[in-house]
Amino acid sequence: MGNENGTWIMYGVEWDDPECLHTVQDAINYINEIGFLPLFKNSIPGFSLEERTVPEYWWCGDPKVDPWEWRELIARSGEVAYGKFFEKKAGFISKEWLPYFVNYRRDGYDFDALYEDGKASARQKKIMDLFSEEHIDEEYYSNELKEKAGFGKDGAKGFDGIMTSLQMQMYLCVRDFRQRKNKKGEAYGWPIAIFATPEHLWGFDYVRSAYSESPTESAKRIAKHIMDIYPITTPEQIRGVIGIKAGERKEPVKKKARQ
């Protein structure tokens, strides 16, 4: 998706193009085939769900053909991980490739160890405390998570940025999208993201199964796979997909106001 002279442009293919994905199952199958895929167009040509779908069907509201609706169904399926995984933007990672991204992005750290080593912020910890091992099976609406973690009007700031960083570090992912419920239990409003840990979805043993190899080896494995799929990819583009290790992504330091 690009912005040309103030107008948002969707890139894609025609319905009868051999590369076109026609259904959500087509999309799931394709993600599993190539391993990982950003949602929208990026610096690598053809490397997105957007560029494999019909532009006119985005946001049409029909889950049979609307890729924006598909992302909800894919997250709910439990077959593929969904979240802000690529350069702070949304994308998908297959179950097969998830452990390698987890191993590299976390740099072998569980969150508690990351925090103890001074590589995670107190604001990140406010959120991750709600997903501690004794609460590993918890799922939270994004607004509920914000409130419980002490963010909001009179609390800590920067919730959205912190959530993005925790997804980029593979500590959290989007489990589902659901409508909120009122006191009568009636659903209302737009579906909003439900967050959970990858361990909740696929288990500790599986998610951490690549911990036996070095994070650098996992990064090389991912890079080689990208080159196998897109041989013309540049080193800079590959780094964008691989991302950086947990603890290397620093929060911006607020400048003190002049007195």
Side-chain angles (χ1 to χ4, degrees):
M1 183 168 59
N3 191 315
E4 297 182 6
N5 299 319
T7 301
W8 289 104
I9 305 295
M10 293 297 294
Y11 299 89
V13 293
E14 298 292 334
W15 181 263
D16 57 358
D17 191 300
E19 294 188 346
C20 183
L21 303 173
H22 300 103
T23 68
V24 65
Q25 191 58 54
D26 285 347
I28 291 173
N29 292 345
Y30 182 67
I31 295 163
N32 283 328
E33 177 186 343
I34 68 166
F36 35 90
L37 187 72
L39 181 63
F40 291 119
K41 186 178 184 295
N42 54 84
S43 64
I44 303 176
F47 186 50
S48 70
L49 182 64
E50 175 185 350
E51 293 162 280
R52 296 277 176 167
T53 54
V54 178
E56 292 78 14
Y57 289 156
W58 281 79
W59 297 289
C60 73
D62 183 351
K64 291 183 179 179
V65 295
D66 183 351
W68 186 247
E69 298 285 333
W70 292 356
R71 87 196 199 290
E72 297 186 16
L73 299 174
I74 293 172
R76 189 176 305 141
S77 73
E79 295 185 52
V80 171
Y82 175 71
K84 291 186 176 180
F85 298 144
F86 303 106
E87 297 184 296
K88 301 182 181 182
K89 297 177 182 178
F92 310 92
I93 300 175
S94 72
K95 184 178 176 182
E96 177 184 356
W97 280 92
L98 179 68
Y100 303 111
F101 276 91
V102 166
N103 188 43
Y104 177 69
R105 296 278 185 85
R106 293 183 183 179
D107 197 19
Y109 280 98
D110 295 333
F111 183 81
D112 287 345
L114 185 75
Y115 181 74
E116 289 172 4
D117 273 7
K119 294 185 176 183
S121 71
R123 292 189 296 172
Q124 287 177 317
K125 191 174 189 302
K126 284 177 178 288
I127 293 170
M128 290 307 299
D129 278 349
L130 297 171
F131 298 97
S132 59
E133 290 200 11
E134 58 266 31
H135 301 293
I136 199 68
D137 290 332
E138 294 290 344
E139 301 177 349
Y140 295 97
Y141 286 92
S142 57
N143 65 307
E144 179 186 22
L145 185 59
K146 183 175 183 179
E147 180 181 351
K148 285 182 177 293
F151 289 77
K153 184 177 180 181
D154 299 317
K157 307 301 181 184
F159 176 76
D160 291 338
I162 299 300
M163 288 300 295
T164 295
S165 71
L166 290 170
Q167 292 170 78
M168 285 294 296
Q169 294 172 0
M170 305 304 301
Y171 290 113
L172 292 178
C173 62
V174 177
R175 169 69 178 92
D176 198 356
F177 290 85
R178 301 174 197 152
Q179 290 177 289
R180 286 175 282 186
K181 293 184 179 180
N182 59 25
K183 294 180 180 179
K184 296 181 180 180
E186 300 168 331
Y188 70 94
W190 294 101
I192 61 176
I194 303 289
F195 287 95
T197 64
E199 283 85 348
H200 168 51
L201 299 181
W202 295 290
F204 280 90
D205 290 344
Y206 184 78
V207 170
R208 303 176 182 187
S209 59
Y211 276 20
S212 58
E213 69 180 28
S214 71
T216 299
E217 192 61 33
S218 289
K220 290 179 179 178
R221 187 189 296 270
I222 296 167
K224 181 180 182 303
H225 187 67
I226 297 170
M227 287 299 298
D228 288 344
I229 299 171
Y230 298 97
I232 62 171
T233 307
T234 67
E236 183 178 358
Q237 290 169 334
I238 291 174
R239 283 193 296 271
V241 174
I242 293 174
I244 62 177
K245 297 177 182 179
E248 293 180 352
R249 185 176 291 101
K250 303 299 182 182
E251 292 186 57
V253 177
K254 294 183 178 178
K255 294 183 179 178
K256 292 183 179 180
R258 292 183 178 179
Q259 300 298 322

